[in-house]
Amino acid sequence: MTSSYPSLTHALADALVDVLWFIEGSDDEQMDPDDAVKVLENVAHLCSTLPHDQQQELIALLGEMAAAEPSPARRKFLEEFPEDCGLVDDVS
């Protein structure tokens, strides 16, 4: 079986997005809300503490993923991911 990902970074970013997309869309019966918040906050903290070059690499990769995403809802999630996870300053 051949991977469809050009790099390990891309594969791991896609897996991370899948997990966070699931958590975001989960209702209270699927996942405890407090646990969901903890996971999302931990990921945001990790992303915000990455070295600048790694943050920029992840932002670029998320942009590529968003551009290729056919689902409007998931595309929006990908587009908002950098700000939501502390990779960029609040643009509002």
XYZ file of all heavy atoms in Angstrom:
706
model
N 0.834 -1.170 0.000
C 0.000 0.000 0.000
C 0.888 1.245 0.000
O 1.779 1.394 0.814
C -0.904 -0.021 1.236
C -1.893 1.073 1.264
S -3.086 0.720 2.580
C -3.394 2.334 3.147
N 0.615 2.162 -0.900
C 1.392 3.381 -1.026
C 0.638 4.541 -0.399
O -0.561 4.704 -0.598
C 1.660 3.685 -2.510
O 2.303 2.566 -3.102
C 2.539 4.898 -2.668
N 1.356 5.369 0.346
C 0.752 6.536 0.986
C 0.448 7.595 -0.055
O 1.187 7.798 -1.005
C 1.712 7.107 2.030
O 1.213 8.318 2.540
N -0.662 8.297 0.152
C -1.018 9.389 -0.743
C -0.485 10.724 -0.226
O -0.763 11.770 -0.796
C -2.534 9.460 -0.897
O -3.136 9.731 0.357
N 0.291 10.695 0.841
C 0.832 11.908 1.436
C 2.264 12.142 0.968
O 3.062 11.211 0.923
C 0.809 11.824 2.961
C -0.588 11.748 3.515
C -1.120 10.545 3.949
C -1.379 12.891 3.581
C -2.407 10.481 4.447
C -2.670 12.834 4.077
C -3.179 11.623 4.511
O -4.457 11.567 4.996
N 2.596 13.387 0.649
C 3.955 13.681 0.197
C 4.991 13.669 1.322
O 6.176 13.595 1.048
C 3.833 15.074 -0.418
C 2.648 15.690 0.251
C 1.720 14.547 0.573
N 4.527 13.742 2.577
C 5.465 13.748 3.702
C 4.776 13.257 4.968
O 3.545 13.246 5.065
C 6.005 15.160 3.947
O 4.973 15.991 4.449
N 5.599 12.901 5.931
C 5.081 12.505 7.238
C 4.369 13.686 7.886
O 3.318 13.522 8.518
C 6.218 12.008 8.132
C 5.855 11.663 9.571
C 4.823 10.528 9.612
C 7.102 11.280 10.358
N 4.915 14.882 7.729
C 4.294 16.084 8.300
C 2.876 16.251 7.783
O 1.956 16.538 8.548
C 5.140 17.332 7.973
O 6.456 17.139 8.481
C 4.528 18.582 8.568
N 2.701 16.069 6.486
C 1.364 16.207 5.895
C 0.420 15.139 6.447
O -0.721 15.438 6.787
C 1.448 16.113 4.375
C 0.194 16.532 3.689
N 0.181 17.470 2.701
C -1.086 16.169 3.853
C -1.056 17.656 2.283
N -1.848 16.863 2.967
N 0.886 13.920 6.547
C 0.051 12.832 7.062
C -0.360 13.100 8.510
O -1.531 12.925 8.877
C 0.802 11.502 6.965
N 0.582 13.553 9.329
C 0.275 13.826 10.732
C -0.643 15.036 10.881
O -1.529 15.039 11.738
C 1.554 14.015 11.533
C 2.416 12.755 11.682
C 3.731 13.085 12.381
C 1.663 11.665 12.422
N -0.448 16.059 10.059
C -1.336 17.224 10.099
C -2.753 16.812 9.717
O -3.724 17.253 10.346
C -0.831 18.319 9.171
N -2.890 15.965 8.719
C -4.211 15.496 8.310
C -4.866 14.680 9.418
O -6.059 14.837 9.690
C -4.107 14.685 7.015
C -5.441 14.493 6.338
O -6.226 15.465 6.260
O -5.718 13.367 5.889
N -4.080 13.839 10.079
C -4.619 13.041 11.192
C -5.044 13.957 12.344
O -6.115 13.757 12.940
C -3.579 12.032 11.671
N -4.240 14.963 12.660
C -4.587 15.907 13.721
C -5.881 16.637 13.385
O -6.772 16.762 14.230
C -3.451 16.911 13.932
C -3.709 18.003 14.964
C -3.901 17.409 16.355
C -2.571 19.010 14.953
N -6.002 17.102 12.155
C -7.224 17.791 11.732
C -8.423 16.855 11.840
O -9.488 17.268 12.315
C -7.070 18.353 10.305
C -8.404 18.798 9.736
C -6.077 19.512 10.299
N -8.270 15.607 11.431
C -9.375 14.640 11.536
C -9.840 14.484 12.983
O -11.039 14.469 13.259
C -8.968 13.267 10.999
C -8.998 13.172 9.494
O -9.578 14.070 8.840
O -8.426 12.206 8.960
N -8.895 14.357 13.904
C -9.239 14.180 15.317
C -9.945 15.431 15.849
O -10.988 15.344 16.511
C -7.980 13.858 16.159
C -8.271 13.949 17.650
C -7.450 12.482 15.797
N -9.386 16.598 15.557
C -9.987 17.837 16.052
C -11.332 18.109 15.395
O -12.247 18.621 16.041
C -9.029 19.008 15.851
C -7.710 18.894 16.620
C -6.820 20.096 16.336
C -7.944 18.724 18.105
N -11.476 17.767 14.128
C -12.757 17.904 13.410
C -13.813 17.030 14.086
O -14.949 17.456 14.286
C -12.553 17.508 11.954
C -13.771 17.484 11.093
C -14.370 16.367 10.571
C -14.545 18.587 10.627
N -15.453 16.726 9.813
C -15.585 18.093 9.827
C -14.446 19.964 10.808
C -16.527 18.906 9.225
C -15.386 20.773 10.194
C -16.409 20.242 9.421
N -13.438 15.806 14.459
C -14.354 14.909 15.164
C -14.755 15.501 16.511
O -15.933 15.540 16.866
C -13.721 13.528 15.358
C -14.545 12.637 16.250
C -15.665 11.987 15.751
C -14.223 12.478 17.588
C -16.449 11.182 16.579
C -14.998 11.675 18.414
C -16.113 11.031 17.916
N -13.758 15.982 17.263
C -14.042 16.543 18.588
C -14.956 17.755 18.473
O -15.920 17.884 19.229
C -12.725 16.894 19.321
C -11.980 15.616 19.689
C -12.997 17.742 20.563
C -10.577 15.834 20.198
N -14.655 18.651 17.528
C -15.485 19.848 17.327
C -16.935 19.482 17.040
O -17.842 20.163 17.495
C -14.975 20.653 16.132
C -13.944 21.673 16.366
C -14.332 22.925 17.104
O -15.298 23.619 16.737
O -13.631 23.228 18.054
N -17.132 18.419 16.264
C -18.481 18.046 15.854
C -19.193 17.084 16.779
O -20.344 16.725 16.551
N -18.525 16.679 17.845
C -19.116 15.702 18.760
C -20.147 16.358 19.670
O -19.966 17.481 20.134
C -18.035 15.063 19.630
O -17.155 14.306 18.857
N -21.197 15.612 19.929
C -22.164 16.102 20.914
C -21.801 15.517 22.281
O -20.861 14.735 22.412
C -23.604 15.790 20.505
C -23.874 14.301 20.305
O -23.238 13.481 20.984
O -24.744 13.958 19.480
N -22.545 15.898 23.294
C -22.210 15.519 24.668
C -22.250 14.012 24.910
O -21.581 13.517 25.822
C -23.138 16.213 25.663
C -22.937 17.718 25.701
O -21.989 18.205 25.050
O -23.722 18.411 26.365
N -23.028 13.277 24.114
C -23.079 11.822 24.281
C -21.852 11.142 23.687
O -21.484 10.055 24.099
C -24.345 11.231 23.637
C -25.619 11.519 24.406
C -26.204 12.888 24.082
O -26.187 13.290 22.900
O -26.664 13.567 25.014
N -21.236 11.769 22.695
C -20.063 11.184 22.054
C -18.783 11.463 22.831
O -17.873 10.632 22.857
C -19.907 11.721 20.627
C -20.977 11.228 19.676
C -20.837 11.888 18.322
O -20.937 13.103 18.203
N -20.607 11.078 17.314
N -18.721 12.658 23.436
C -17.511 13.022 24.161
C -17.870 14.018 25.252
O -18.641 14.940 25.025
C -16.492 13.633 23.204
C -15.187 13.971 23.850
S -13.923 14.300 22.622
C -12.484 14.168 23.654
N -17.284 13.807 26.405
C -17.501 14.729 27.517
C -17.012 16.122 27.109
O -15.874 16.268 26.650
C -16.727 14.224 28.734
C -16.889 15.142 29.921
O -17.864 14.975 30.678
O -16.034 16.044 30.072
N -17.846 17.145 27.267
C -17.455 18.504 26.857
C -16.187 19.009 27.544
O -15.371 19.689 26.919
C -18.661 19.362 27.228
C -19.803 18.426 27.299
C -19.234 17.103 27.730
N -16.007 18.688 28.816
C -14.798 19.115 29.520
C -13.549 18.465 28.928
O -12.509 19.110 28.787
C -14.895 18.802 31.014
C -15.952 19.632 31.723
O -16.254 20.755 31.247
O -16.472 19.171 32.756
N -13.665 17.187 28.582
C -12.539 16.498 27.958
C -12.240 17.082 26.584
O -11.075 17.238 26.202
C -12.822 14.997 27.833
C -12.818 14.287 29.177
O -12.236 14.828 30.145
O -13.408 13.190 29.255
N -13.282 17.407 25.842
C -13.102 18.000 24.518
C -12.353 19.324 24.626
O -11.407 19.582 23.878
C -14.461 18.199 23.837
N -12.752 20.163 25.570
C -12.097 21.456 25.767
C -10.629 21.251 26.137
O -9.744 21.949 25.627
C -12.836 22.296 26.826
C -12.015 23.498 27.245
C -14.194 22.726 26.306
N -10.354 20.291 27.007
C -8.968 20.023 27.410
C -8.108 19.636 26.216
O -6.981 20.118 26.066
C -8.916 18.907 28.458
C -9.355 19.339 29.828
C -9.309 18.162 30.797
C -9.973 18.521 32.101
N -10.069 17.366 33.000
N -8.630 18.754 25.368
C -7.873 18.322 24.186
C -7.620 19.509 23.264
O -6.489 19.726 22.805
C -8.605 17.191 23.430
C -7.940 16.909 22.089
C -8.654 15.925 24.272
N -8.664 20.290 22.980
C -8.517 21.441 22.087
C -7.537 22.459 22.659
O -6.705 23.014 21.923
C -9.880 22.073 21.813
C -10.876 21.176 21.067
C -12.251 21.832 21.040
C -10.392 20.847 19.676
N -7.608 22.712 23.956
C -6.677 23.655 24.592
C -5.245 23.135 24.558
O -4.302 23.910 24.340
C -7.097 23.947 26.026
C -8.316 24.833 26.126
C -8.794 25.045 27.559
O -8.342 24.326 28.482
O -9.635 25.949 27.754
N -5.060 21.834 24.773
C -3.715 21.256 24.723
C -3.108 21.369 23.332
O -1.925 21.692 23.186
C -3.727 19.797 25.186
C -3.886 19.661 26.682
O -3.645 20.601 27.438
N -4.315 18.494 27.126
N -3.910 21.109 22.308
C -3.409 21.234 20.935
C -3.077 22.693 20.633
O -2.034 22.999 20.046
C -4.419 20.666 19.911
C -4.013 21.014 18.489
C -4.534 19.155 20.074
N -3.940 23.609 21.043
C -3.682 25.031 20.827
C -2.389 25.457 21.527
O -1.580 26.205 20.957
C -4.859 25.865 21.310
N -2.187 24.977 22.741
C -0.956 25.315 23.465
C 0.264 24.769 22.728
O 1.260 25.485 22.536
C -1.001 24.771 24.901
C 0.268 24.988 25.642
N 0.672 26.231 26.086
C 1.255 24.123 25.984
C 1.848 26.111 26.681
N 2.217 24.853 26.625
N 0.205 23.515 22.312
C 1.320 22.920 21.585
C 1.622 23.724 20.326
O 2.780 24.059 20.059
C 1.003 21.463 21.220
C 2.108 20.748 20.466
C 2.261 19.337 20.979
C 1.855 20.747 18.983
N 0.588 24.057 19.558
C 0.786 24.811 18.307
C 1.381 26.185 18.577
O 2.249 26.643 17.833
C -0.531 24.947 17.546
S -1.101 23.406 16.799
N 0.922 26.835 19.623
C 1.399 28.191 19.917
C 2.843 28.207 20.410
O 3.485 29.252 20.374
C 0.486 28.883 20.934
O 0.634 28.304 22.217
N 3.353 27.072 20.866
C 4.723 27.014 21.369
C 5.707 26.407 20.372
O 6.894 26.292 20.678
C 4.793 26.236 22.697
O 4.329 24.901 22.495
C 3.964 26.913 23.778
N 5.225 26.056 19.181
C 6.136 25.569 18.145
C 7.074 26.693 17.731
O 6.690 27.869 17.765
C 5.355 25.110 16.902
C 4.535 23.840 17.008
C 3.670 23.675 15.768
C 5.424 22.629 17.203
N 8.297 26.360 17.316
C 9.174 27.395 16.768
C 8.505 28.063 15.554
O 7.695 27.437 14.852
C 10.431 26.627 16.342
C 10.390 25.355 17.122
C 8.940 25.048 17.345
N 8.844 29.320 15.312
C 8.202 30.111 14.257
C 8.235 29.405 12.893
O 7.227 29.391 12.177
C 8.855 31.489 14.156
C 8.218 32.364 13.135
N 6.969 32.933 13.312
C 8.641 32.752 11.906
C 6.659 33.631 12.238
N 7.654 33.553 11.379
N 9.370 28.808 12.534
C 9.456 28.152 11.224
C 8.505 26.958 11.131
O 7.908 26.720 10.075
C 10.892 27.743 10.890
C 11.499 26.755 11.873
O 11.207 26.856 13.092
O 12.263 25.874 11.433
N 8.323 26.233 12.227
C 7.383 25.114 12.218
C 5.939 25.608 12.180
O 5.086 24.993 11.521
C 7.611 24.212 13.429
C 8.922 23.461 13.352
C 9.186 22.612 14.579
O 8.403 22.584 15.533
N 10.302 21.903 14.570
N 5.669 26.717 12.862
C 4.329 27.301 12.780
C 4.021 27.702 11.339
O 2.931 27.421 10.838
C 4.220 28.527 13.691
C 4.188 28.203 15.154
C 4.043 29.442 16.018
O 4.073 30.572 15.528
N 3.894 29.240 17.315
N 4.979 28.333 10.682
C 4.768 28.770 9.304
C 4.578 27.578 8.366
O 3.752 27.619 7.449
C 5.935 29.654 8.833
C 6.038 30.967 9.584
C 4.739 31.751 9.591
O 4.161 32.034 8.550
N 4.254 32.079 10.775
N 5.321 26.516 8.603
C 5.170 25.298 7.804
C 3.764 24.715 7.973
O 3.117 24.331 6.990
C 6.227 24.270 8.217
C 6.133 22.960 7.470
C 7.136 21.920 7.942
O 7.900 22.172 8.915
O 7.153 20.836 7.340
N 3.286 24.676 9.206
C 1.952 24.140 9.477
C 0.870 25.035 8.866
O -0.091 24.540 8.279
C 1.740 23.952 10.977
C 0.417 23.336 11.421
C 0.149 22.001 10.722
C 0.383 23.176 12.928
N 1.033 26.349 8.990
C 0.066 27.277 8.402
C -0.010 27.076 6.890
O -1.109 27.018 6.316
C 0.439 28.739 8.750
C 0.208 28.999 10.241
C -0.358 29.719 7.894
C 0.829 30.290 10.743
N 1.138 26.962 6.242
C 1.158 26.748 4.786
C 0.492 25.428 4.422
O -0.289 25.352 3.453
C 2.596 26.790 4.274
N 0.773 24.398 5.176
C 0.188 23.080 4.917
C -1.325 23.109 5.102
O -2.077 22.570 4.278
C 0.826 22.040 5.838
C 0.376 20.598 5.688
C 0.495 20.117 4.253
C 1.185 19.716 6.610
N -1.790 23.766 6.152
C -3.235 23.892 6.369
C -3.895 24.667 5.235
O -5.012 24.342 4.823
C -3.509 24.554 7.722
C -3.148 23.710 8.948
C -3.105 24.584 10.187
C -4.101 22.549 9.121
N -3.205 25.670 4.715
C -3.720 26.417 3.571
C -3.859 25.541 2.345
O -4.870 25.606 1.626
N -2.865 24.693 2.094
C -2.928 23.749 0.975
C -4.087 22.769 1.163
O -4.816 22.458 0.215
C -1.624 22.964 0.855
C -0.430 23.764 0.432
C 0.865 22.963 0.525
O 0.815 21.703 0.546
O 1.941 23.598 0.607
N -4.226 22.286 2.390
C -5.297 21.339 2.686
C -6.663 21.995 2.486
O -7.581 21.388 1.924
C -5.147 20.792 4.106
C -3.934 19.902 4.288
S -3.524 19.565 6.032
C -4.958 18.625 6.557
N -6.798 23.248 2.924
C -8.067 23.967 2.775
C -8.393 24.177 1.302
O -9.546 24.004 0.878
C -8.010 25.311 3.508
N -7.389 24.546 0.519
C -7.607 24.791 -0.907
C -8.065 23.527 -1.641
O -8.821 23.615 -2.610
C -6.334 25.337 -1.543
N -7.630 22.371 -1.163
C -7.978 21.109 -1.808
C -9.229 20.453 -1.216
O -9.691 19.431 -1.733
C -6.803 20.136 -1.697
N -9.799 21.039 -0.164
C -10.925 20.425 0.550
C -12.247 20.687 -0.170
O -12.634 21.842 -0.349
C -10.986 20.969 1.974
C -12.134 20.436 2.798
C -12.164 18.919 2.901
O -11.144 18.319 3.276
O -13.224 18.354 2.596
N -12.964 19.633 -0.550
C -14.245 19.826 -1.237
C -15.411 20.190 -0.311
O -16.371 20.822 -0.746
C -14.497 18.481 -1.922
C -13.702 17.487 -1.138
C -12.540 18.236 -0.558
N -15.337 19.826 0.966
C -16.419 20.108 1.898
C -16.302 21.549 2.407
O -15.291 21.905 3.036
C -16.355 19.149 3.088
O -17.122 19.636 4.172
N -17.329 22.385 2.185
C -17.257 23.771 2.656
C -17.071 23.886 4.173
O -16.300 24.732 4.634
C -18.595 24.371 2.221
C -19.050 23.526 1.084
C -18.536 22.144 1.393
N -17.733 23.049 4.939
C -17.622 23.127 6.400
C -16.217 22.755 6.862
O -15.631 23.431 7.724
C -18.655 22.214 7.060
N -15.668 21.711 6.301
C -14.312 21.295 6.682
C -13.277 22.310 6.165
O -12.289 22.582 6.835
C -14.017 19.891 6.170
C -12.710 19.332 6.684
C -12.577 17.865 6.291
N -11.231 17.404 6.414
C -10.768 16.693 7.442
N -11.569 16.359 8.420
N -9.514 16.310 7.475
N -13.512 22.872 4.982
C -12.620 23.899 4.450
C -12.569 25.102 5.407
O -11.500 25.614 5.719
C -13.056 24.363 3.069
C -12.099 25.351 2.427
C -12.484 25.797 1.018
N -13.109 24.770 0.213
C -14.417 24.746 -0.113
N -15.225 25.698 0.285
N -14.902 23.758 -0.844
N -13.732 25.506 5.894
C -13.794 26.626 6.851
C -13.026 26.269 8.121
O -12.293 27.092 8.664
C -15.251 26.959 7.177
C -15.411 28.134 8.104
C -16.878 28.493 8.298
C -16.969 29.788 9.058
N -17.646 29.740 10.289
N -13.188 25.044 8.605
C -12.467 24.580 9.791
C -10.955 24.679 9.552
O -10.214 25.168 10.416
C -12.878 23.137 10.102
C -12.190 22.538 11.295
C -12.611 22.828 12.580
C -11.121 21.667 11.131
C -11.985 22.271 13.686
C -10.489 21.104 12.225
C -10.924 21.404 13.505
N -10.507 24.238 8.383
C -9.083 24.299 8.050
C -8.594 25.743 7.953
O -7.495 26.069 8.412
C -8.818 23.566 6.734
C -8.863 22.049 6.806
C -9.040 21.452 5.416
C -7.611 21.512 7.465
N -9.399 26.607 7.367
C -9.018 28.009 7.225
C -8.916 28.709 8.577
O -8.075 29.588 8.770
C -10.015 28.738 6.324
C -9.946 28.297 4.877
C -11.096 28.794 4.019
O -12.112 29.279 4.563
O -10.990 28.680 2.778
N -9.766 28.322 9.514
C -9.782 28.942 10.836
C -8.801 28.293 11.814
O -8.511 28.855 12.870
C -11.198 28.896 11.408
C -12.178 29.753 10.630
C -13.614 29.611 11.089
O -13.909 28.710 11.913
O -14.447 30.391 10.606
N -8.303 27.126 11.467
C -7.419 26.366 12.350
C -6.220 27.183 12.840
O -5.940 27.194 14.044
C -6.952 25.091 11.630
C -6.205 24.122 12.506
C -6.830 22.995 12.992
C -4.868 24.322 12.831
C -6.140 22.082 13.788
C -4.176 23.429 13.623
C -4.816 22.309 14.110
N -5.478 27.871 11.958
C -4.302 28.601 12.457
C -4.632 29.623 13.542
O -3.931 29.696 14.555
C -3.758 29.288 11.199
C -4.199 28.405 10.075
C -5.575 27.932 10.496
N -5.694 30.375 13.364
C -6.071 31.358 14.379
C -6.597 30.669 15.639
O -6.225 31.028 16.755
C -7.136 32.305 13.840
C -7.480 33.401 14.812
C -8.505 34.383 14.268
O -8.644 34.503 13.051
O -9.181 35.022 15.094
N -7.456 29.661 15.452
C -8.037 28.963 16.600
C -6.990 28.261 17.461
O -7.205 28.090 18.663
C -9.082 27.943 16.128
C -10.320 28.588 15.545
O -10.513 29.816 15.724
O -11.111 27.865 14.900
N -5.902 27.858 16.848
C -4.866 27.126 17.586
C -3.670 27.991 17.965
O -2.624 27.481 18.358
C -4.422 25.913 16.789
S -5.634 24.590 16.864
N -3.810 29.294 17.836
C -2.757 30.192 18.292
C -1.558 30.300 17.383
O -0.491 30.742 17.811
N -1.715 29.910 16.111
C -0.608 30.018 15.167
C -0.476 31.422 14.588
O 0.584 31.811 14.121
C -0.768 29.002 14.026
C -0.652 27.538 14.446
C -1.111 26.624 13.332
C 0.778 27.218 14.847
N -1.573 32.151 14.588
C -1.579 33.549 14.106
C -2.362 34.381 15.105
O -3.213 33.871 15.836
C -2.205 33.689 12.698
C -1.372 32.980 11.654
C -3.628 33.186 12.671
N -2.082 35.665 15.105
C -2.811 36.571 15.980
C -4.245 36.710 15.507
O -4.542 36.559 14.317
C -2.157 37.953 16.000
C -0.798 37.926 16.667
O -0.584 37.060 17.545
O 0.059 38.750 16.307
N -5.119 37.039 16.421
C -6.531 37.306 16.110
C -6.585 38.401 15.063
O -6.009 39.471 15.240
C -7.264 37.724 17.387
C -8.755 37.870 17.187
O -9.256 37.679 16.070
O -9.427 38.200 18.179
N -7.299 38.131 13.947
C -7.360 39.085 12.846
C -8.532 40.043 12.956
O -8.716 40.907 12.126
C -7.401 38.375 11.469
C -6.094 37.687 11.202
C -8.567 37.408 11.395
N -9.342 39.940 14.001
C -10.505 40.827 14.121
C -10.165 42.146 14.755
O -9.117 42.417 15.197
C -11.619 40.145 14.900
O -11.183 39.641 16.133
